Amino acid sequence: PCQSGDALFCFDWAKQNIGEYRTPAIEHVELVVISVLVGFAVAFALSVLAHRHAWLRPPLLAGTGVLYTIPSIAFFFLLLPVTGLGRDTAVIVLAAYTLQIIYRNTILGLANVPAAVKDAARGMGFTSRQILWRVELPLAIPEIVAGLRVATVSTIAIATLAVFISAGGLGAEMYGGGALTFPTTILIATAIVVLMAFAFDLVLLTVQRLTTPWRRAGLR
């Protein structure tokens, strides 16, 4: 069999064993979805808070930036004494990495809303809260989704390292067992990760188009 030779990719082995990647792929998707949702909820709340209180913007940006610069493996192992092995640690770390990207883009989107639009809303009797939810946030959706797309794709990649803390995912097929001496399993797992990134990005792009119908109308 080619798996015992020097072939870079063993098609026969791949055809017979592709089903083994189903569970790791599902685990990977779960890790990514939970982490991005947690990160988005936290970053969105911080963004709205900083939008209302401008003095909070620099320290929050700096704080999320510090988290983003911590090497992923080090971050995982720093949390082990507190949260232990498994998914909880992985979710905390992966969510932390999304914070600056989503926070920065959300703040940027809110800041880019034209003052004339907000003035017009005030003239119509909108309160500050109504302006935020009915004017500013809808107009900031393209920037928010752009940040979410980048955060999601990077999370899909970083989640492969969750195997080192027994959190599952496709990293188990990349780094576990004899993967390092049998490149076929690494290539298959990598291909699934890449396809997953494209799929998530397409879903988010579709969400953006559906939630910003006025942009589509403007292109006609």
Side-chain angles (χ1 to χ4, degrees):
C2 60
Q3 67 190 91
S4 61
D6 296 326
L8 179 63
F9 190 84
C10 183
F11 288 96
D12 291 337
W13 185 93
K15 185 166 57 177
Q16 295 172 6
N17 295 274
I18 191 66
E20 297 180 4
Y21 292 83
R22 180 179 179 180
T23 297
I26 292 173
E27 292 174 347
H28 206 90
V29 169
E30 291 174 348
L31 268 178
V32 171
V33 171
I34 295 171
S35 300
V36 172
L37 286 177
V38 171
F40 178 78
V42 175
F44 183 80
L46 293 177
S47 302
V48 171
L49 185 63
H51 182 62
R52 290 184 174 275
H53 306 283
W55 64 271
L56 286 173
R57 295 177 193 175
L60 287 177
L61 184 63
T64 55
V66 168
L67 292 175
Y68 193 76
T69 59
I70 301 175
S72 53
I73 294 295
F75 207 161
F76 283 132
F77 286 109
L78 284 172
L79 279 181
L80 284 183
V82 180
T83 53
L85 293 170
R87 179 178 291 184
D88 290 346
T89 300
V91 168
I92 292 171
V93 172
L94 295 174
Y97 281 128
T98 68
L99 294 181
Q100 188 185 54
I101 301 171
I102 298 173
Y103 169 81
R104 183 177 56 195
N105 275 60
T106 303
I107 284 293
L108 179 63
L110 292 172
N112 284 341
V113 175
V117 174
K118 291 184 283 187
D119 289 340
R122 290 191 190 94
M124 294 172 64
F126 283 22
T127 65
S128 296
R129 178 172 296 183
Q130 288 174 322
I131 292 173
L132 174 65
W133 290 100
R134 298 175 62 179
V135 178
E136 293 178 304
L137 284 172
L139 291 178
I141 284 175
E143 286 85 356
I144 295 173
V145 174
L148 195 55
R149 289 169 65 190
V150 174
T152 301
V153 170
S154 65
T155 300
I156 290 172
I158 299 172
T160 59
L161 300 175
V163 64
F164 293 116
I165 54 169
S166 303
L170 288 164
E173 306 300 324
M174 294 182 176
Y175 308 112
L180 296 180
T181 58
F182 183 47
T184 298
T185 187
I186 299 176
L187 291 173
I188 294 174
T190 300
I192 296 173
V193 168
V194 172
L195 290 174
M196 193 180 295
F198 275 114
F200 270 94
D201 194 59
L202 182 60
V203 168
L204 290 171
L205 189 58
T206 302
V207 169
Q208 177 182 323
R209 288 180 58 83
L210 292 175
T211 54
T212 55
W214 60 87
R215 291 173 66 90
R216 298 199 306 273
L219 294 175
R220 293 172 185 170

